[in-house]
Amino acid sequence: MAGQVQAGADAIRMHADDHVATALRDLKAGETISFTFAGERFQVAMSEDVAFGHKVAIVDIPEGTHVKKYGETIGRATTDIAVGRHVHVHNIEGIRGRGDQAGKGASA
Amino acid sequence: MTTSTATIMGYERPNGDIGIRNHLLIIPTVICSNQVCSRIAQLVPDAVAIPHQHGCSQIGSDKDRTFDVLAGTGKNPNVGAVLIVSLGCEVVDPVALAEEIKKTGKPVEWFDIQSVGGSVKAIQHGADIARRLKSQLDAEKKVPVPLSKLKVGVKCGGSDATSGLASNPALGGAADALIAHGGGIVIGETTEIIGAEHVLAERCATPETKEKLYEIVDRFEKEVERMGADMRGGNPSPGNIAGGLSTIEEKSLGCISKCGTAPIRGVIEYAEDIPEGGLYFMDSPGNDIECVSGMAAGGAHIVCFTTGRGTPTGSAVVPVIKITGNRRMFERMSDNMDVDVSGMLTGEISLEEAGDAIWKEIVEVADGKLTKAEILGHQEFSINRIGPSL
């Protein structure tokens, strides 16, 4: 778990390996958000709206990347995701519990 | 902070258990007895019935599971006395059920509707027995009992991103506090450790427990494969996804922090007796009511339940403490929520302060404070099934 959230932070990043941060308010395209991690201040220019609780890419994420949150893999990028974009079901997929891909050699 | 010699006011059970409530429980052995049980419960103040869909046309381990959940719920230390109502021709044996619950030393009675002569007579007969049991219970007094005997289930449901960021890690702090006092914690939801099992496995106390943990996750995942479906949409659910959770892995990684940091001493079966002291994993579905009912049948006194989307879930025999890290939902659904830790996400409170707030609530509820779910009369009960209806 990351340290305490700073009052006024726009997002929270949980781990040094993370590709994403989670929005702590409704973030709007065009604004620059800021948050602190491990004592360092980060800024990200938002290229689309990201609702409270949803994730924003804090680095460029190439297609196929195992996307990290909490320092662990939460899924795989199904397309290139640029920094500042919304990261969700439209551009990452689960690797586990994929009965739809069973027998297709798609297990991780 | 209290010390390990701390006490709460509770009921001393004949077998040495402590109870924090003193329910009169009306158990239908089978769906056919539900209506009679519900009517009896309406006629006797504070009696609680647990209507369910099962008890007949079941075989093997599926039948045993129904029996175990009914027996476990009757044996739960928050239950002071039990009335079992049978139809008379079902698969679940009311005599065996009564004998199993009687092992705790509490009063247990049973009858069947066919012998008594139909619903009207059964309701009258049952109400007479229930009133007698109720007056016995009312004569029992609370006494100081050791807090170290307390067992608490930790569960999350209706999760959103705030669950993994705030309410679950805060609940983990409270779980560590209970274990430090000698108490027991049980975590379940095998489906919701998929993608995070390697983290929990590293915390297993023995290689056998570690192996068992991997084995039960593998079994659930193979079941999903057999159904040929992507878990996503079922779990995470549409509400989880709307709340920002993208995959089962993300949900799982947010889930596991709610059990704190203690070593996992063992993996137990659904509805199996929860050992005293330390952390255990119960092999159970993520489904809220089935999981909470399994923990109650295992002997949990309280279930702590985190939610971001908001859910009213209660239990027939166990106080359910509702905790959220989502301030907007807390404001919308405050009549269902007990503890708000959303200040963690605005910088107003620390993780430690949030954990302390939950711990304080656990002790107060153990001491008799009613949860919102109890005040509202939420008495959900559901049995996880593993076989077909015949």
Side-chain angles (χ1 to χ4, degrees):
Chain A
M1 169 97 194
Q4 189 174 351
V5 172
Q6 302 294 310
D10 298 313
I12 179 172
R13 174 182 178 178
M14 301 300 284
H15 192 277
D17 295 341
D18 289 359
H19 297 107
V20 296
T22 304
L24 291 175
R25 60 176 177 83
D26 292 332
L27 307 176
K28 297 291 172 198
E31 67 171 320
T32 298
I33 63 158
S34 65
F35 57 92
T36 304
F37 181 78
E40 198 181 336
R41 189 173 167 83
F42 292 83
Q43 292 199 316
V44 173
M46 299 296 298
S47 53
E48 59 187 327
D49 293 353
V50 173
F52 171 78
H54 286 238
K55 295 176 290 301
V56 54
I58 56 173
V59 291
D60 288 330
I61 306 170
E63 181 179 348
T65 303
H66 283 201
V67 179
K68 305 268 190 195
K69 177 183 171 185
Y70 304 106
E72 299 284 342
T73 298
I74 61 165
R76 179 164 46 212
T78 55
T79 181
D80 291 341
I81 308 170
V83 59
R85 295 200 74 94
H86 184 205
V87 177
H88 201 24
V89 291
H90 59 290
N91 53 19
I92 69 170
E93 64 175 359
I95 299 166
R96 303 287 303 280
R98 295 299 298 268
D100 57 324
Q101 294 181 347
K104 295 177 190 166
S107 72
Chain B
M1 271 284 196
T2 40
T3 68
S4 56
T5 56
T7 58
I8 48 171
M9 294 301 286
Y11 299 93
E12 266 177 344
R13 300 303 182 200
N15 63 352
D17 277 348
I18 61 156
I20 61 163
R21 299 291 185 269
N22 208 22
H23 295 296
L24 167 58
L25 185 69
I26 320 284
I27 304 180
T29 48
V30 61
I31 184 171
C32 314
S33 307
N34 282 354
Q35 171 67 352
V36 167
C37 287
S38 298
R39 288 286 199 181
I40 295 168
Q42 286 166 6
L43 292 169
V44 182
D46 301 325
V48 54
I50 47 168
H52 59 86
Q53 289 179 283
H54 315 302
C56 211
S57 316
Q58 291 184 277
I59 51 169
S61 53
D62 185 49
K63 177 191 79 170
D64 295 342
R65 173 158 290 195
T66 293
F67 182 93
D68 291 344
V69 175
L70 295 177
T73 310
K75 291 164 90 169
N76 183 288
N78 293 344
V79 173
V82 177
L83 171 61
I84 296 165
V85 180
S86 154
L87 175 60
C89 53
E90 67 275 15
V91 155
V92 167
D93 177 358
V95 177
L97 186 61
E99 289 308 315
E100 184 59 33
I101 299 172
K102 273 183 193 167
K103 287 179 185 168
T104 58
K106 66 183 79 173
V108 183
E109 302 211 18
W110 78 275
F111 69 89
D112 74 80
I113 298 169
Q114 289 168 350
S115 299
V116 168
S119 293
V120 172
K121 287 174 184 157
I123 293 163
Q124 178 66 53
H125 183 67
D128 286 343
I129 299 171
R131 278 198 205 96
R132 178 162 44 77
L133 291 171
K134 170 71 178 159
S135 57
Q136 274 176 252
L137 290 184
D138 287 348
E140 291 171 8
K141 296 278 177 274
K142 277 186 164 187
V143 294
V145 293
L147 181 62
S148 60
K149 289 215 168 224
L150 199 68
K151 298 174 189 176
V152 172
V154 293
K155 168 83 182 86
C156 51
S159 297
D160 70 3
T162 67
S163 303
L165 301 176
S167 53
N168 284 336
L171 178 53
D176 283 346
L178 179 62
I179 288 176
H181 281 79
I185 292 286
V186 63
I187 180 176
E189 306 176 83
T190 314
T191 21
E192 296 181 15
I193 63 166
I194 292 176
E197 66 271 44
H198 57 291
V199 183
L200 283 183
E202 289 312 308
R203 288 174 42 193
C204 287
T206 65
E208 293 74 28
T209 298
K210 185 175 181 173
E211 194 179 326
K212 181 86 186 286
L213 192 76
Y214 277 120
E215 189 185 297
I216 61 172
V217 170
D218 187 54
R219 205 187 56 223
F220 249 111
E221 210 167 2
K222 287 219 167 71
E223 194 62 18
V224 175
E225 272 181 28
R226 191 186 62 79
M227 293 179 73
D230 185 351
M231 273 186 72
R232 190 155 75 175
N235 200 346
S237 70
N240 298 149
I241 292 170
L245 299 176
S246 305
T247 63
I248 187 62
E249 295 94 319
E250 182 182 10
K251 187 175 172 182
S252 296
L253 289 160
C255 276
I256 57 173
S257 58
K258 66 181 180 277
C259 70
T261 57
I264 299 173
R265 290 193 179 171
V267 175
I268 60 173
E269 294 296 321
Y270 180 75
E272 186 179 342
D273 279 350
I274 303 160
E276 276 187 17
L279 174 62
Y280 288 84
F281 190 95
M282 178 178 282
D283 184 16
S284 52
N287 179 282
D288 294 345
I289 316 299
E290 289 184 11
C291 183
V292 170
S293 298
M295 289 172 167
H301 296 93
I302 292 175
V303 171
C304 287
F305 193 113
T306 66
T307 180
R309 305 289 295 171
T311 166
T313 301
S315 152
V317 298
V318 168
V320 177
I321 299 172
K322 226 64 64 51
I323 302 150
T324 189
N326 184 325
R327 182 159 299 172
R328 294 178 198 177
M329 188 279 287
F330 180 78
E331 286 166 358
R332 271 201 313 277
M333 293 182 66
S334 58
D335 59 343
N336 296 113
M337 296 297 124
D338 297 286
V339 186
D340 171 24
V341 295
S342 62
M344 284 175 73
L345 297 177
T346 55
E348 293 159 85
I349 59 169
S350 67
L351 170 62
E352 192 185 8
E353 287 166 332
D356 286 348
I358 298 170
W359 170 239
K360 184 168 166 276
E361 187 77 7
I362 290 172
V363 175
E364 287 178 2
V365 167
D367 227 2
K369 178 184 175 183
L370 293 180
T371 61
K372 297 285 180 67
E374 289 177 290
I375 291 166
L376 293 166
H378 277 282
Q379 299 178 337
E380 284 80 5
F381 175 74
S382 178
I383 302 172
N384 173 247
R385 277 194 70 174
I386 47 178
S389 282
L390 299 182

